[in-house]
Structures are given as C-alpha cells and as structure tokens.
C-alpha cells in the first residue's frame, strides 16, 4: 500500500473534476485527480458550453481552445418543421458589449473533456491517479481517500480537503451517508444522437411545433444532431417509437442512431454542498437537473470556478491557523452555489412545464407572443442573459463572505466585462485573480497580491458608481463595495470577501 499526501484530492475526472483541478492550479494549488475510467467516454452527453461557462474558463486560458474546437452561435432560432419558418429568434450577440465570449458554443461534452484533459496533462500542479475510490474518511486534521488501482494496488491519498466531482452516483457523497432530494416529472425523456444524411439545407435548430410535448433537434456537427423528445409516462422506448419521432424532425432522410439515453426530467440536490469539515461537492454529485435545458455540465463547471478559489483561500487560512476563516470560505461556497442550484432547478421546472405540458392549441399564440417579445431589445437582452447563464448572481443571504460595505446593492453581482481604454476587456485585466476595481477614482493602496484596475465608468446595471471601490473575487463577483475606504476598512472587507489577512 502506498500513501500520498496532497493539498486537495479531486475525485472524478469528468469536466467538473478537471475544471476544479485546473482552477486550483490557476491559484497555485496542487491537486491529485482520481478517475476510475481507464479511457475517456466517447459519448457526446452535454452538447454545448454557455457563455457564462466560457467566461470562467477564459480566465484560466482555456476558452480559446474550446472555441476553436466548437461552433460558436450568437443566435438561437428554432424553425418549425411543419412550416419551415422560425418560431422566434433570440439574439445572444446582443450581449457582445458586455462579454468577449459567444453566447453559446456547440461542442459535445467528449470534445470539451478532450480540451480540458490536454490542459490537465500539461499542468505540473495536477497529478492523475487511475483507480476506484473505495472509501473516504475525514477527521479534524485531514481527509483520507482509499483508491484501488486498475492493476490491484492500493493507495491512500491523504489531503487537507477532498472534492466529490464523481457524478450522480458519487462514492464521495455516499461515503458520508448523504443522498439527494428533489422531484421528477411523470414523463419520459428520450435523448439521442443521430447522423442525418443530406442535412445541409436544414437550419441549426428544428422543432415540431404542432406535436404535444417537446420534440427538437440541434445540429452539433456535420450530419450530427442531438434529438430531445418527451413522452407520456415512463418506460423503455421502442425502436418504432424512436424512429417515428426522428422522422417527424428529418423526414425521409437517412438517419443512424449513434447514442441513446432515456431518463425523466428531474431536479435534485444534496442538502449541503459541504459534508463535514473537509469534504465539498461539485457538479452532479451535488445537484442534478434535467438534460433538456443543457445546463447541467455548465452549472458544474461554474461550481468548479467558485470552489477552486474558495479552496485556495481556505488552504491559506489553514496555514495561518485561521480555522474560522477557512470555514467561512467553504461555507460561503456551499451557501452561494446551493442557492444558484435552486434557481436553476426552479427555472428547469418552469421550462419543463412549458415544454411538456403546453397543449397544441395554445402553441401558435404562445409562439406569436415570443416572436413579438423578442423584437424588443430589452427583452432579448434579458432572455440572452438568462439562457447564457450570465444573470445568475451569488446573492445568498447567509454567505459568510459577501460584505456590503456602505452599499450592498452590487454585492453578489458580476462586474461587467467592459472594454478598457487600452483595448483590453476588464476580464483580461483581472485574469481570474482577486482584485480591486476603482470606478472613476484613484485606487487606494491595495493589500499584497491583489490586482488593481481603474475603470472610468460601468453600465448602470452594475450598480457601481463613480467613487466606488469594489473588492472583486476571482469569479468576477463583487464581494464588497466601499467609498474612500480607510486602510483598516479595506483590509477588513478584503479579509471577509477573499479570506486574506
């Protein structure tokens, strides 16, 4: 038996686990990444990356590779197969002034994982261990993860913290006797990938507008399509039923099924993303949301963004003997991401009800209302922000690390990615680091290690005005706002928001 020591053990080398390890490396923290699969999965699974997730990965230098591998989309315009006309159109490009990233990147999860895996293999701060986790134990001082390797050897990984990113059947979570809670709809959901011959003339998104429930197809490569279909009741889908659904979208074109999954729309999560003192969860091990909205993997990678800097701050606090500070960072992560998981789940329930329960007779007026509404710029921007997940704010009232200062309005919101006078975006200047942003004023003397950026003005929606000094976290979330702060006030705000003494 071998014993290895590490700062953090991350269990699960899917997109969430790899993103967590890469985020830790960005903040200078070494980790061991444990994966039970001998080879990467070839299945497409999640079919794209939303703009908010791309912004998180861009801070770590990973978005360029993803965009190069995928198909950026700045418009979502489903076309009715019955009429050949767009049902409505959402202009994701309406947010271009606030973000350099596309609103949506069509890219199968297998390709997303390939880009992340390449970065993991190139990182000197990430060590990969192949094997099955057989047990996780924690005490006040450390966490021990038992791993049985593929060749039968046993290894115990001892670390300050462990991250469960090992999916819906998380061994890490179950080792602590914790399950998920939630609800499921009494309908079936068929998710499959198909190859379609002669699809050049088809629009990127097709929708059966006159059929009850959801039946849609999304192109994610040449001749490659993702099909989503809701079904009354649950149970296995016969080949005849599946083929009939596919023909309803693609007509008489030759079609080959390459992957299929049957599930039910659901929204589940654990009571707390933090289990005891030294175990935290991210991704599907913490929350599950119906695949119909395409936000599950994205939500998990956004968990990883928040968790990586939180763990780095907790490790610094531990090294300084500040146990309360370490707990504040990880409790803050848990409370904030739990709230966002609840928001995503609530939206999924509403969307599922609209997609699966709207009767056919009500669809034409509903589609007409959407066409009219999406002609209004304000409505299009609002819808684009929601679809791309850019409107999710960390405004948890019981987060220990959101300090209001003199004004709490902007706290928990992300700083807009404005263009600076030198042509850079603000996100590029912040580079995924803890920062101070001074709005139209001279920045105060900053504590060591903080990036300092001055901007002349920010959009009204940011609620940051001339004279404000914002403490900005590595995830571009405002942790505190002060005006003409004293050194003591600034130090206190930074310590609370960022875990720094």
């Amino acid at each position: 038996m071998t014993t290895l020591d590490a700062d953090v053990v991350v269990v699960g080398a899917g997109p969430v686990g790899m993103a967590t390890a890469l985020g830790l490396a960005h903040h200078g923290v070494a980790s061991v990444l444990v994966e039970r699969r001998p080879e990467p999965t070839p299945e497409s699974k999640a079919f794209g990356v939303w703009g908010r997730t791309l912004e998180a990965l861009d801070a770590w230098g990973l978005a360029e590779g993803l965009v190069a591998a995928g198909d950026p989309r700045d418009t979502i315009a489903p076309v009715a197969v019955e009429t050949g006309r767009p049902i409505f159109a959402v202009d994701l490009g309406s947010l271009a002034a606030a973000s350099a990233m596309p609103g949506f990147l069509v890219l199968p999860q297998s390709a997303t994982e390939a880009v992340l895996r390449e970065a993991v293999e190139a990182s000197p701060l990430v060590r990969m261990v192949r094997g099955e986790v057989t047990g996780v134990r924690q005490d006040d001082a450390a966490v021990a993860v038992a791993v049985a390797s593929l060749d039968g050897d046993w290894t115990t990984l001892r670390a300050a913290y462990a991250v469960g990113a090992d999916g819906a059947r998380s061994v890490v979570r179950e080792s602590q006797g914790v399950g998920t809670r939630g609800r499921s709809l009494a309908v079936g959901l068929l998710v499959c990938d198909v190859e379609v011959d002669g699809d050049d003339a088809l629009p990127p998104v097709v929708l059966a507008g006159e059929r009850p429930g959801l039946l849609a197809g999304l192109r994610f490569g040449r001749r490659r399509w993702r099909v989503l279909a809701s079904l009354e009741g649950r149970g296995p889908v016969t080949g005849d039923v599946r083929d009939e659904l596919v023909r309803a979208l693609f007509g008489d074109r030759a079609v080959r099924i390459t992957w299929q999954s049957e599930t039910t729309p659901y929204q589940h999560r654990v009571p707390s993303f933090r289990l005891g003192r030294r175990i935290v969860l991210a991704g599907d091990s913490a929350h599950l949301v119906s695949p119909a909205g395409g936000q599950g993997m994205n939500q998990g990678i956004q968990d990883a963004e928040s968790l990586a800097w939180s763990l780095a701050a907790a490790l610094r606090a531990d090294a300084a003997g500040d146990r309360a500070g370490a707990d504040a960072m990880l409790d803050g992560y848990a409370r904030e991401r739990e709230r966002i998981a609840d928001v995503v789940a609530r939206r999924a329930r509403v969307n599922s009800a609209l997609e699966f329960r709207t009767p056919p007779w009500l669809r034409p007026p509903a589609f007409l209302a959407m066409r009219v509404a999406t002609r209004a710029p304000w409505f299009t921007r609002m819808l684009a922000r929601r679809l791309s997940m850019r409107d999710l704010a960390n405004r948890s009232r019981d987060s220990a690390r959101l300090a209001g200062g003199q004004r709490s309005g902007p706290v928990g919101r992300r700083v807009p990615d404005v263009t600076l006078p030198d042509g850079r975006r603000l996100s590029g200047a912040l580079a995924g680091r803890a920062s101070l942003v001074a709005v139209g004023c001279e920045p105060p003397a900053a504590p060591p290690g903080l990036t300092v950026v001055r901007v002349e003005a920010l959009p009204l929606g940011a609620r940051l005005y001339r004279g404000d000094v914002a403490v900005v976290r590595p995830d571009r979330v405002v942790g505190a706002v002060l005006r003409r702060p004293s050194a003591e006030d600034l130090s206190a705000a930074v310590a609370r928001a960022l875990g720094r003494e």
Side-chain angles (χ1 to χ4, degrees), residues 306-356:
S306 179
L307 179 55
W309 78 262
S310 303
L311 277 170
L315 286 164
R316 286 195 304 269
D318 282 339
D322 180 11
R323 176 168 175 166
D327 287 341
M329 289 298 102
L330 297 182
D331 285 342
Y333 158 78
R335 299 293 87 77
E336 292 169 20
R337 296 309 300 176
E338 287 159 13
R339 181 186 183 279
I340 284 180
D342 290 342
V343 171
V344 172
R346 183 169 64 248
R347 291 178 180 179
R349 287 195 295 272
V350 173
N351 292 341
S352 295
L354 293 174
E355 292 166 349
F356 304 151

Side-chain angles (χ1 to χ4, degrees), residues 161-235:
Y161 296 99
V163 177
D166 49 340
R169 297 177 178 86
S170 170
V171 174
V172 175
R173 184 190 67 223
E174 292 178 357
S175 73
Q176 306 303 301
V178 176
T180 61
R181 306 171 183 169
R183 65 180 71 182
S184 301
L185 295 182
V187 297
L189 181 65
L190 172 67
V191 184
C192 59
D193 290 350
V194 300
E195 291 183 354
V196 182
D197 290 343
D199 67 338
D200 292 344
L202 291 175
V205 183
V206 292
L207 180 70
E210 297 177 3
R211 175 188 179 274
L214 172 68
L215 178 57
L218 171 76
R219 189 205 313 268
F220 65 88
R222 182 171 175 79
R223 299 187 309 179
R224 301 179 68 192
W225 291 76
R226 166 64 52 83
V227 172
L228 297 166
S230 62
L231 302 160
E232 285 298 325
R234 303 173 182 174

Side-chain angles (χ1 to χ4, degrees), residues 61-110:
L62 300 172
E64 184 177 355
L66 289 169
V67 173
D71 178 13
R73 303 264 179 94
D74 271 329
T75 302
I76 295 179
V79 171
V81 295
E82 298 88 354
T83 65
R85 294 195 298 269
I87 297 173
F88 58 85
V90 180
D91 179 15
L92 300 176
S94 61
L95 303 178
S99 177
M101 293 294 104
F104 184 58
L105 180 70
V106 177
L107 187 67
Q109 181 175 323
S110 54

Side-chain angles (χ1 to χ4, degrees), residues 438-456:
V439 184
C441 62
E442 284 302 313
L450 267 67
T451 300
V452 179
V453 178
R454 172 176 173 163
V455 298
E456 291 308 314

